[in-house]
Amino acid sequence: MPTVGVIANPSAGQDIRRLVARGWNVPANEKINVLRRVFAGLDAVGVTRIIAMPDISNLCAVAQDATSDKLSFELLDMNVFNDEEDTSTAANLMVRDGVACVVTLGGDGTNRAVAAQMVNVPM
């Protein structure tokens, strides 16, 4: 079964527009819950390996604690700066590692940064 990449941006949904205009935001614990559901879905369809972007909030690392033993989970070996460079670097490394597709959890900026690197990889 192919490898799936996961890029979760801990800063997505926290921009100033949401804070000052009382807009909706997604707290870290809800992002972790979303990731747990994504991992369970990937496991259910037979994916056996996930490669994830590390981040300052440890979203994927915390979420993977609920994965089955059949699902191999790896964090990319990369420096984390908590900016768009993290997303671009992770996407580039995932392309290099041959992921079959990537799942993103982020906003417009995250998806643009991933799409710029994932020319031939489904998102």
Side-chain angles (χ1 to χ4, degrees), residues 14-80:
Q14 306 297 323
D15 61 69
I16 191 69
R17 294 171 295 167
R18 296 170 199 276
L19 299 175
V20 299
R22 298 182 188 192
W24 181 73
N25 65 25
V26 182
N29 63 334
E30 185 54 31
K31 290 177 184 180
I32 290 167
N33 289 333
V34 169
L35 288 166
R36 286 180 173 148
R37 291 190 295 272
V38 168
F39 296 163
L42 293 173
D43 183 38
V45 297
V47 170
T48 56
R49 182 175 178 231
I50 294 173
I51 299 174
M53 179 183 82
D55 67 86
I56 63 166
S57 296
N58 294 315
L59 298 174
C60 287
V62 172
Q64 69 90 27
D65 68 357
T67 59
S68 77
D69 293 336
K70 298 179 292 180
L71 196 55
S72 167
F73 179 87
E74 303 166 35
L75 286 175
L76 290 168
D77 183 16
M78 58 178 271
N79 293 324
V80 176

Side-chain angles (χ1 to χ4, degrees), residues 7 9 11 53-55 76 78-93 109-110 112-114 117:
I7 295 177
N9 181 345
S11 300
M53 179 183 82
D55 67 86
L76 290 168
M78 58 178 271
N79 293 324
V80 176
F81 300 101
N82 196 36
D83 62 18
E84 187 176 319
E85 182 180 335
D86 295 346
T87 301
S88 297
T89 298
N92 195 9
L93 290 170
T110 301
R112 275 193 301 274
V114 172
Q117 302 299 320

